[in-house]
Amino acid sequence: MKQFQNNMTSGAARRMPRSVALLVLLTLVLAGCSGSGPQTALNPEGPIGRTIDDLWELVFIMATVVFVIVQAAIIYTIIRYRARKGDDSEPVQVHGNTRLEILWTIIPVVILASIGYPIVKGIFDVRAVAEGSDVLQVQVTGHQWWWEFEYVDYSDETGRTLVTANELVIPEDTTVNLTMTSADVIHSFWVPVLAGKRDVVPNRITNLTLIADDPTPVDEPHPGQCAEYCGLAHADMRFKVHVRDQVGFDAWVADQLTPAEIPTEGAAAAGYTAFNTCVACHNSTVMGENGPEDVGPVRTIEVDGVTFTSSLAPSLTHFGSRSTFGAGTFENNAEHLAEWLADPSSIKPMRPELNDVPNGRILGMPNFNLSSDDITNLIALLEGWE
Ligand code: CUA
């Protein structure tokens, strides 16, 4: 036993100089004070987020009051009743004091009840499934490692619903009901400024309500993040939420429902030829001779009687209209796209070697060894598809 204790005390903690330990501690503590983190739940941008933030503030304030009172009582007791020189008599024994025991049972009951009621009510408020004709319905499918959004209220004249990826666009001040499922493993949908986390589970439906107060600046959408570890690129399974005013949202819907044009000249036309490689997994709805048509696979899955568009890879119909790609990870520009097309896994770690396309298991985009001409031409095509 003695030897065991010796081993314990001669460990790393003991060798670390006190100044270094203090510095590490201070760094960790002060890191919590940074106010610039965009993925914070402490600056809510909508009523649901505010409900959660208010609860956190209530609990924080009450915990602080309890902490201060308890610490003050401990410090007072230590000083007031400390052992004095020459006095080694036994302190007064309060064990079995009924009045004290009732008191320190009732006080926590009152504290817990006053925290518990608003919290339970808050959980029910936040979890309620939004219904009604003025609620925007969006179906969400989580994929390793990206997000698919299907606006079931909006479809073109051929009945194709509005499907996009990784960038959710919603109107301001509107209740949005997300009906969510997963195509593979468990993910978790989280927009810190708008709502709490909600798991996205294969073969199950979960719901989440989003309401955003104000439109977001074009280059500052709300960040979102998968919040359940789901494999190699979990940290890069991000997304953006753009909030528009109603006019801006309606214009966006009209744009998204317009099929992409097949380019007939220049680099983009050559890019459309190279696009043959992409359509093994990616779909794009293009304007063909006889109207809108899909050039890649369109897959659906059914969960609890609800049909979800659950593609093998993000739809590219309006790729150029998105501010980011790679699931909210890279700013959408030619430079990043060139790097991505040259070797996707070099900038976002994925496992394309484990893909099983016929069975719908996709773990990332492989390196197709595209020529630099193909890459240039594909960029011209994709950035043109706004
Ligand atoms: Cu999906 Cu983590």
Side-chain angles (χ1 to χ4, degrees):
M1 190 63 194
K2 189 107 193 176
Q3 196 181 355
F4 176 67
Q5 283 172 335
N6 283 343
N7 284 343
M8 288 287 284
T9 49
S10 65
R14 205 179 168 198
R15 280 197 301 273
M16 186 190 280
R18 210 174 275 179
S19 56
V20 174
L22 194 69
L23 203 69
V24 170
L25 188 70
L26 208 63
T27 310
L28 288 174
V29 169
L30 290 178
C33 300
S34 162
S36 60
Q39 293 206 131
T40 173
L42 301 180
N43 302 317
E45 300 279 351
I48 306 270
R50 261 193 304 282
T51 303
I52 296 167
D53 189 51
D54 289 348
L55 287 172
W56 132 256
E57 257 170 35
L58 172 78
V59 172
F60 181 73
I61 289 167
M62 293 186 91
T64 306
V65 170
V66 169
F67 176 81
V68 168
I69 292 174
V70 169
Q71 292 304 311
I74 289 174
I75 292 167
Y76 172 80
T77 310
I78 288 171
I79 295 170
R80 174 77 176 74
Y81 299 103
R82 70 190 185 279
R84 277 155 229 265
K85 244 188 197 139
D87 177 11
D88 50 3
S89 63
E90 199 177 86
V92 181
Q93 298 299 300
V94 294
H95 173 75
N97 185 317
T98 313
R99 195 190 292 174
L100 267 182
E101 292 196 356
I102 289 176
L103 199 68
W104 65 50
T105 305
I106 288 181
I107 292 177
V109 166
V110 171
I111 293 174
L112 288 180
S114 58
I115 293 178
Y117 173 73
I119 285 185
V120 172
K121 184 179 178 301
I123 289 172
F124 278 93
D125 288 350
V126 166
R127 283 271 173 117
V129 178
E131 286 166 323
S133 56
D134 52 348
V135 174
L136 174 66
Q137 301 289 344
V138 181
Q139 291 183 185
V140 178
T141 308
H143 298 264
Q144 285 172 313
W145 289 281
W146 61 284
W147 297 93
E148 184 159 34
F149 302 120
E150 180 177 19
Y151 292 68
V152 286
D153 297 337
Y154 297 97
S155 49
D156 67 10
E157 71 268 25
T158 62
R160 289 177 169 82
T161 49
L162 195 171
V163 175
T164 187
N166 302 320
E167 301 214 353
L168 183 66
V169 179
I170 60 173
E172 65 175 320
D173 218 11
T174 300
T175 305
V176 183
N177 176 42
L178 305 180
T179 302
M180 312 192 288
T181 196
S182 167
D184 35 54
V185 299
I186 300 177
H187 305 275
S188 178
F189 187 94
W190 189 34
V191 193
V193 298
L194 294 183
K197 298 166 186 168
R198 197 78 209 265
D199 274 7
V200 175
V201 185
N203 295 316
R204 257 202 214 189
I205 285 181
T206 51
N207 291 85
L208 187 73
T209 305
L210 298 181
I211 307 172
D213 292 331
D214 300 305
T216 47
V218 174
D219 54 351
E220 268 177 65
H222 297 317
Q225 169 75 53
C226 177
E228 175 77 37
Y229 181 69
C230 55
L232 193 59
H234 156 70
D236 287 334
M237 187 172 166
R238 307 177 206 175
F239 57 100
K240 304 286 175 195
V241 179
H242 296 267
V243 186
R244 303 255 194 274
D245 60 21
Q246 192 64 48
V247 174
F249 177 74
D250 292 341
W252 178 81
V253 167
D255 279 347
Q256 298 291 310
L257 285 177
T258 310
E261 293 293 333
I262 300 175
T264 51
E265 54 187 24
Y272 193 69
T273 308
F275 193 62
N276 269 328
T277 308
C278 315
V279 298
C281 298
H282 291 276
N283 177 45
S284 183
T285 307
V286 299
M287 188 47 114
E289 282 173 20
N290 307 310
E293 60 183 46
D294 295 304
V295 290
V298 178
R299 188 181 66 154
T300 58
I301 54 173
E302 190 145 319
V303 180
D304 281 351
V306 179
T307 305
F308 290 79
T309 292
S310 174
S311 308
L312 297 179
S315 159
L316 298 177
T317 312
H318 290 282
F319 180 85
S321 73
R322 297 176 199 152
S323 60
T324 58
F325 73 95
T329 307
F330 310 105
E331 196 187 321
N332 186 359
N333 61 37
E335 188 191 334
H336 293 156
L337 209 48
E339 271 183 74
W340 175 270
L341 291 171
D343 184 7
S345 286
S346 70
I347 55 173
K348 173 173 173 173
M350 298 175 286
R351 298 296 302 278
E353 67 275 15
L354 299 179
N355 285 355
D356 178 3
V357 180
N359 290 313
R361 177 187 164 89
I362 308 282
L363 287 167
M365 180 165 143
N367 179 354
F368 287 102
N369 297 307
L370 297 164
S371 70
S372 63
D373 279 353
D374 278 348
I375 290 175
T376 309
N377 296 337
L378 278 169
I379 293 172
L381 175 79
L382 293 170
E383 298 295 20
W385 274 350
E386 294 185 342

